[in-house]
């Protein structure tokens, strides 16, 4: 995934928006509907959008909060006829960084 960021300063907090495009490998393994065992892998075009902020407690200690949304990745499952699998991801990440 390759991302681009645009930074903004809001009330002393560094904020940013991000967008990215890349590839996602979807693996469906060891799934069964009671009759058919599904083992499926496909590489798909993926994209995501996000936003985040970074707050500096001190010049060397920062806290980051990030949200990313990946809209529906779709793939067909040939083992189940024309059934379509759609995956949507929401990610929230919190981190603390320290520079020495």
């Amino acid at each position: 995934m390759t991302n681009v960021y645009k930074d903004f300063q809001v009330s002393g907090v560094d904020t940013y928006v991000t967008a990215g495009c890349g590839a996602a490998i979807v693996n469906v393994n060891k799934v069964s509907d009671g009759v058919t065992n599904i083992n499926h892998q496909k590489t798909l075009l993926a994209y995501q959008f996000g936003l985040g902020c970074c707050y500096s407690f001190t010049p060397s200690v920062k806290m980051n909060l990030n949200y990313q949304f990946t809209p529906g990745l779709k793939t067909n499952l040939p083992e189940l006829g024309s059934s379509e699998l759609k995956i949507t991801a929401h990610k929230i990440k919190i981190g603390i960084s320290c520079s020495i």
Side-chain angles (χ1 to χ4, degrees):
M1 185 76 62
T2 299
N3 293 288
V4 293
Y5 292 84
K6 175 64 179 158
D7 296 321
F8 302 94
Q9 187 79 346
V10 178
S11 301
V13 177
D14 295 325
T15 58
Y16 58 89
V17 294
T18 182
C21 185
I25 299 172
V26 176
N27 285 304
V28 179
N29 295 314
K30 299 181 183 175
V31 176
S32 177
D33 65 357
V35 178
T36 306
N37 290 323
I38 301 170
N39 292 300
H40 180 77
Q41 178 178 323
K42 190 165 186 180
T43 302
L44 303 170
L45 176 65
Y47 53 96
Q48 67 182 13
F49 306 99
L51 52 98
C53 62
C54 178
Y55 180 77
S56 297
F57 292 106
T58 69
S60 61
V61 178
K62 298 179 179 183
M63 184 175 96
N64 298 292
L65 175 64
N66 178 280
Y67 168 76
Q68 292 177 331
F69 171 65
T70 304
L73 301 171
K74 295 178 185 177
T75 184
N76 289 326
L77 298 174
E79 296 88 349
L80 295 178
S82 62
S83 294
E84 183 176 80
L85 175 66
K86 182 178 178 183
I87 301 168
T88 299
H90 298 271
K91 296 179 270 186
I92 297 174
K93 298 186 261 183
I94 299 172
I96 294 177
S97 61
C98 301
S99 344
I100 299 174

